[in-house]
Amino acid sequence: MNVNDGLQTDARTLRDCGRVIPTPFAVLMADGRTLIVRRLLRVLPGKRLVGEAEVDGRRVLAKLFIGQRGGRHWRREQAGLAALRAAGIPAPAVQAAVPIAQGGHALLTDFLAPVESFAQAWEPFGGRPAGDAQAVALLRPLLHTLGCLHASGLVHEDLHFGNFLRHEGRVFVIDGAALQLGRAGTPLPPAEASANLAILLAQLPDAWDGELSMLLPAYAAGARAELPLLPALRDEIAAVRRWRLRDLLAKTVRDCSLFAVTQTAARFTAVTRSQATQLASVVASPDEAIGAGRTLKDGGKSTVACVLVDGRPLLVKRYNLKGLRHALGRALRPSRAWHSWRAAHRLQFFGIPTPAPLALIEERLGPLRRRAWLVSEYCPGANLLSHLVADREPPAAEAQAISQLFAAMHRARITHGDLKAMNLLWHAGQVWLIDLDDLVQHGSAAAHSRAWSRDRARLLRNWPVGSALYRWLDDRLPVA
């Protein structure tokens, strides 16, 4: 039967559906029972599905391993969950593990409700200062659980906040297939434990590297071990962050679970996958969207408009070509939209406030680039030139946000390239960075120092020398 009818299907049909799998659908399991999948939570096309399901009238979480080699991952998932239970570490209880038709396998576990992943729980804290008491209280149980894993000889190879759940006051570990079981029952050697710990801590903004002493006792208590050596741990965290950033930036321009990317001889588009349906009309005809929107800027280099999509304000920026010479000069280089797209994702990675980048569109003629567009969230904040007063120091909230912004940029060796106050917006208790065409993350301290000196001087030129605001900024901005 066809999955599109919401009727019974099998692993082969589900593989052939790719990413678009209508729900509900039913799967006949080898034990004779029917599994009804009501809602999909994750889709790895042709490989694995995770969803809310029902069997015998009972709500379960279903993992369907539908790939040709899914049996190996199915067995690893079972073994990992069994190892967690043996170690006394909370994990969803297995209700059934059975084959399904056409080469697939189903693993059914308890459906935890109410439940929240640590990724969801962390969202409200991402913009708070490192060491925030509530953030520390959230993180300590997570670090304790990781310590318990290491004390039991278990290594989680896919450590991120989404693989830990909060349920009924306890921390649950999921994704049993990602567990290394070779040392189960024997505590990990300190070097291996520290390397794995660094992967989890690298998920935090780098400002937290100076606050690790608030978190590590919880880890050490779970691991029943001494505290890791901080200098070595910080080096490992930095190395992991560099790898994660390279991986993220590579994903922003290739088709994957996070981004929908299409490329033809005439066009390249990259869209945040969760937004692809809503943005379809804008991506298809960005100039029509600009024409229907409210023009904010219409210059030779760029045209910018605020566009409403289903009542939601977005910013669409078109990077113009001023003439044949300009077009030829840009043709063999990544467009400014491409650079800004990646720059915005880079800033988000470091927790630096900037409007979320949603879509990149480039006109192409084979390998030659022509016009380009960037679609992002619209930030309604006032720019600092209009928001701050030259003869007064900034209010306390703005002062803290300014200090946090430039400290984060300085730690990451990021410079803006056009740091005028018009490109800094005050919104929702943070200072947001916009207009990222010339943003650079420098590989050397010397290059960063030279570029930051220019950024610093450009920002200070917005206000009269000797004014209260100028003096305050000059005293507090990082020096080159």
Side-chain angles (χ1 to χ4, degrees), residues 72 79 103 130 206 216 226 238 284 313 322 379 388 421:
R72 180 168 65 90
D206 57 0
L216 292 180
E226 295 182 357
K322 293 184 289 185
C379 180
L388 300 179

mmCIF file of all heavy atoms in Angstrom, residues 72 79 103 130 206 216 226 238 284 313 322 379 388 421:
data_model
loop_
_atom_site.group_PDB
_atom_site.id
_atom_site.type_symbol
_atom_site.label_atom_id
_atom_site.label_comp_id
_atom_site.label_asym_id
_atom_site.label_seq_id
_atom_site.Cartn_x
_atom_site.Cartn_y
_atom_site.Cartn_z
ATOM 1 N N ARG A 72 22.576 -3.082 11.481
ATOM 2 C CA ARG A 72 23.739 -2.876 12.348
ATOM 3 C C ARG A 72 23.497 -1.721 13.322
ATOM 4 O O ARG A 72 23.793 -1.820 14.510
ATOM 5 C CB ARG A 72 24.976 -2.598 11.498
ATOM 6 C CG ARG A 72 26.251 -2.377 12.288
ATOM 7 C CD ARG A 72 27.466 -2.395 11.374
ATOM 8 N NE ARG A 72 27.443 -1.284 10.431
ATOM 9 C CZ ARG A 72 27.995 -0.090 10.684
ATOM 10 N NH1 ARG A 72 28.589 0.129 11.848
ATOM 11 N NH2 ARG A 72 27.950 0.868 9.784
ATOM 12 N N ALA A 79 22.157 -2.197 22.058
ATOM 13 C CA ALA A 79 23.293 -2.460 22.954
ATOM 14 C C ALA A 79 23.636 -1.226 23.774
ATOM 15 O O ALA A 79 23.948 -1.319 24.974
ATOM 16 C CB ALA A 79 24.501 -2.908 22.133
ATOM 17 N N GLY A 103 13.361 -5.167 4.722
ATOM 18 C CA GLY A 103 14.704 -4.883 5.194
ATOM 19 C C GLY A 103 14.821 -3.867 6.290
ATOM 20 O O GLY A 103 15.938 -3.430 6.610
ATOM 21 N N ALA A 130 28.543 34.583 30.841
ATOM 22 C CA ALA A 130 29.123 33.330 31.321
ATOM 23 C C ALA A 130 29.162 33.341 32.842
ATOM 24 O O ALA A 130 29.480 34.354 33.464
ATOM 25 C CB ALA A 130 30.536 33.167 30.765
ATOM 26 N N ASP A 206 32.510 30.658 24.010
ATOM 27 C CA ASP A 206 33.873 30.593 24.524
ATOM 28 C C ASP A 206 34.087 31.421 25.781
ATOM 29 O O ASP A 206 35.065 31.224 26.504
ATOM 30 C CB ASP A 206 34.880 30.991 23.445
ATOM 31 C CG ASP A 206 34.635 32.382 22.876
ATOM 32 O OD1 ASP A 206 33.679 33.059 23.313
ATOM 33 O OD2 ASP A 206 35.409 32.797 21.993
ATOM 34 N N LEU A 216 33.104 22.026 36.597
ATOM 35 C CA LEU A 216 33.862 20.774 36.637
ATOM 36 C C LEU A 216 33.674 19.954 37.914
ATOM 37 O O LEU A 216 33.768 18.719 37.851
ATOM 38 C CB LEU A 216 35.347 21.070 36.410
ATOM 39 C CG LEU A 216 35.678 21.564 34.987
ATOM 40 C CD1 LEU A 216 37.165 21.824 34.861
ATOM 41 C CD2 LEU A 216 35.213 20.559 33.945
ATOM 42 N N GLU A 226 39.424 12.906 39.851
ATOM 43 C CA GLU A 226 39.938 14.241 40.132
ATOM 44 C C GLU A 226 39.520 15.208 39.027
ATOM 45 O O GLU A 226 39.164 14.803 37.917
ATOM 46 C CB GLU A 226 41.470 14.201 40.231
ATOM 47 C CG GLU A 226 41.981 13.373 41.411
ATOM 48 C CD GLU A 226 43.499 13.405 41.488
ATOM 49 O OE1 GLU A 226 44.128 14.026 40.602
ATOM 50 O OE2 GLU A 226 44.039 12.814 42.439
ATOM 51 N N ALA A 238 39.175 24.385 22.550
ATOM 52 C CA ALA A 238 39.433 25.281 21.416
ATOM 53 C C ALA A 238 39.579 24.492 20.121
ATOM 54 O O ALA A 238 39.076 24.910 19.059
ATOM 55 C CB ALA A 238 40.683 26.113 21.686
ATOM 56 N N ALA A 284 12.141 31.938 -4.773
ATOM 57 C CA ALA A 284 11.860 31.805 -6.202
ATOM 58 C C ALA A 284 11.925 33.154 -6.921
ATOM 59 O O ALA A 284 12.415 33.233 -8.051
ATOM 60 C CB ALA A 284 10.491 31.167 -6.403
ATOM 61 N N PRO A 313 8.055 39.828 9.515
ATOM 62 C CA PRO A 313 8.965 40.731 8.799
ATOM 63 C C PRO A 313 10.330 40.087 8.575
ATOM 64 O O PRO A 313 10.945 39.559 9.506
ATOM 65 C CB PRO A 313 9.063 41.935 9.739
ATOM 66 C CG PRO A 313 8.787 41.390 11.098
ATOM 67 C CD PRO A 313 7.830 40.244 10.913
ATOM 68 N N LYS A 322 27.137 47.313 -10.439
ATOM 69 C CA LYS A 322 27.008 48.701 -10.874
ATOM 70 C C LYS A 322 27.305 48.906 -12.358
ATOM 71 O O LYS A 322 26.998 49.943 -12.920
ATOM 72 C CB LYS A 322 27.924 49.588 -10.033
ATOM 73 C CG LYS A 322 27.497 49.665 -8.571
ATOM 74 C CD LYS A 322 28.345 50.624 -7.774
ATOM 75 C CE LYS A 322 29.747 50.088 -7.557
ATOM 76 N NZ LYS A 322 30.546 50.979 -6.677
ATOM 77 N N CYS A 379 15.607 42.763 12.156
ATOM 78 C CA CYS A 379 15.836 43.261 13.517
ATOM 79 C C CYS A 379 15.276 44.676 13.602
ATOM 80 O O CYS A 379 15.777 45.584 12.908
ATOM 81 C CB CYS A 379 17.322 43.248 13.853
ATOM 82 S SG CYS A 379 17.674 43.843 15.532
ATOM 83 N N LEU A 388 21.986 56.085 21.541
ATOM 84 C CA LEU A 388 22.852 56.591 22.599
ATOM 85 C C LEU A 388 23.038 58.097 22.467
ATOM 86 O O LEU A 388 22.941 58.651 21.374
ATOM 87 C CB LEU A 388 24.206 55.891 22.559
ATOM 88 C CG LEU A 388 24.183 54.367 22.740
ATOM 89 C CD1 LEU A 388 25.597 53.801 22.664
ATOM 90 C CD2 LEU A 388 23.511 53.969 24.053
ATOM 91 N N ALA A 421 28.292 53.200 13.935
ATOM 92 C CA ALA A 421 27.209 52.957 14.890
ATOM 93 C C ALA A 421 25.914 52.558 14.210
ATOM 94 O O ALA A 421 25.057 51.911 14.823
ATOM 95 C CB ALA A 421 26.991 54.206 15.748
#
